[in-house]
Amino acid sequence: MKQFEETVKFLKKQYKHKPQVGIVLGSGLGKFIEAIEVEKEVAYENIPHFPVSTVQGHKSKLIFGKLSGKTVVAMAGRFHYYEGYTARDIVFPVRVMKLLGIETLLLSNAAGGVNPSFKVGDIMIIKDHISFFTANPLIGKNIGDFGPRFPDMSEPYKKHLIQKAKEIAAKNNFDVKEGVYVAVTGPTFETRAEYKLIYVLGGDVVGMSTVQESIIANHMGLDVFAVSVVTDVGIRDEENKITHEEVLEAAKHAEPKLATIFKELVASI
Ligand code: HPA
């Protein structure tokens, strides 16, 4: 707990107000930051005990400010298992955000579609996830101050937030999918056989993030909402090479829809 206390003490000195909502932005989805009335930015590299993000397309700073009249803290740039961090490192900032006072966590990510009805640019509200193919951040000694040894995961993404997000999409005349996110370690995109397997297992999209943050947030009793932007479709039979550039480009295009959902969701909280 000592590390957490040092980090929280440092951040409270930087920004006096208590954030109510935490936001984590996925690859190519950082433009959303512009929707936030920024009051304070702190680069990860200046925050004690914070890991530093290494991926292109990630800005690597913690942003404090107002969104839809609420005080929020947003991570521009998240940590991924494939970068070489431990699962515990990845979730360090989420625990810090909880200690700063957040009650709700909004997550976004770029993901590959495996449901054949999904198209590039679709937005999918995550209603459930499969985390077995990556590391669980709660492995190791349990920190009882954060939550129980064996946390319940029956509602990893809160139904009332999902319902609200669907209403927001309908009101703004855009379509949203709903489905299951399957987490993998990356950094390789999946083979054809792997995309097929993920679909057979009940997945609708596959990605390299989000579940560790969701698990840790659930452990601490936060309300979690998460959304994927489908940036490529892996299940096709034809020639189908996937690049990081293509993922970033598709994310950028779909970003306004995600921004609408997050803004209006925060207003409703
Ligand atoms: N697979 C895994 N992660 C991803 C993908 C994908 O196809 N697209 C974006 N993130």
Side-chain angles (χ1 to χ4, degrees):
M1 284 309 279
K2 190 164 174 292
Q3 280 194 342
F4 290 104
E5 280 158 17
E6 284 170 9
T7 307
V8 168
K9 196 170 154 208
F10 169 84
L11 288 171
K12 281 189 172 165
K13 258 194 225 144
Q14 307 290 314
Y15 186 73
K16 301 271 179 279
H17 310 286
K18 178 173 133 173
Q20 208 179 329
V21 180
I23 300 170
V24 182
L25 301 168
S27 301
L29 299 168
K31 193 175 184 298
F32 177 71
I33 293 300
E34 291 167 17
I36 300 174
E37 219 177 289
V38 179
E39 292 175 339
K40 183 77 194 176
E41 287 185 359
V42 192
Y44 292 166
E45 58 193 357
N46 297 328
I47 306 174
H49 311 301
F50 245 58
V52 175
S53 179
T54 62
V55 191
Q56 207 190 339
H58 289 261
K59 291 227 170 52
S60 302
K61 56 190 176 184
L62 209 53
I63 289 166
F64 294 91
K66 293 278 187 302
L67 179 72
S68 309
K70 306 269 165 37
T71 305
V72 300
V73 52
M75 288 180 71
R78 60 145 62 92
F79 303 104
H80 302 86
Y81 193 61
Y82 62 75
E83 292 176 86
Y85 300 110
T86 65
R88 285 213 157 195
D89 287 338
I90 293 169
V91 299
F92 183 84
V94 179
R95 286 177 152 169
V96 167
M97 291 195 282
K98 157 78 182 178
L99 294 174
L100 289 172
I102 68 162
E103 287 154 23
T104 306
L105 181 68
L106 309 185
L107 303 167
S108 66
N109 61 61
V114 294
N115 182 323
S117 73
F118 286 7
K119 296 182 304 299
V120 169
D122 279 349
I123 302 272
M124 189 197 85
I125 297 170
I126 302 179
K127 66 171 184 208
D128 207 344
H129 74 220
I130 294 172
S131 70
F132 297 155
F133 301 123
T134 189
N136 192 305
L138 291 171
I139 289 174
K141 193 173 182 304
N142 186 51
I143 305 178
D145 286 345
F146 283 124
R149 172 72 292 186
F150 300 107
D152 171 71
M153 287 297 282
S154 60
E155 197 184 346
Y157 305 94
K158 282 284 172 281
K159 288 199 185 104
H160 70 275
L161 296 174
I162 293 174
Q163 183 52 35
K164 190 77 209 168
K166 290 202 285 197
E167 287 165 22
I168 292 166
K171 195 183 89 191
N172 288 281
N173 297 312
F174 63 82
D175 182 45
V176 278
K177 314 284 184 200
E178 209 181 323
V180 174
Y181 178 96
V182 175
V184 292
T185 63
T188 40
F189 291 115
E190 290 63 44
T191 64
R192 280 166 205 274
E194 287 164 345
Y195 281 122
K196 280 192 184 140
L197 171 79
I198 288 162
Y199 183 56
V200 167
L201 287 178
D204 295 293
V205 298
V206 53
M208 306 174 194
S209 66
T210 302
V211 296
Q212 279 113 352
E213 294 141 351
S214 169
I215 288 170
I216 222 72
N218 274 277
H219 183 236
M220 301 183 293
L222 293 177
D223 283 356
V224 182
F225 173 81
V227 65
S228 290
V229 173
V230 177
T231 55
D232 53 276
V233 176
I235 201 98
R236 292 179 303 197
D237 277 328
E238 69 261 35
E239 180 71 21
N240 187 23
K241 285 208 163 47
I242 297 166
T243 66
H244 185 53
E245 288 65 36
E246 173 191 348
V247 166
L248 293 181
E249 188 58 29
K252 207 167 79 186
H253 281 292
E255 200 273 340
K257 288 191 246 177
L258 177 121
T260 301
I261 293 178
F262 275 15
K263 267 189 259 178
E264 297 194 20
L265 206 52
V266 170
S268 79
I269 286 169

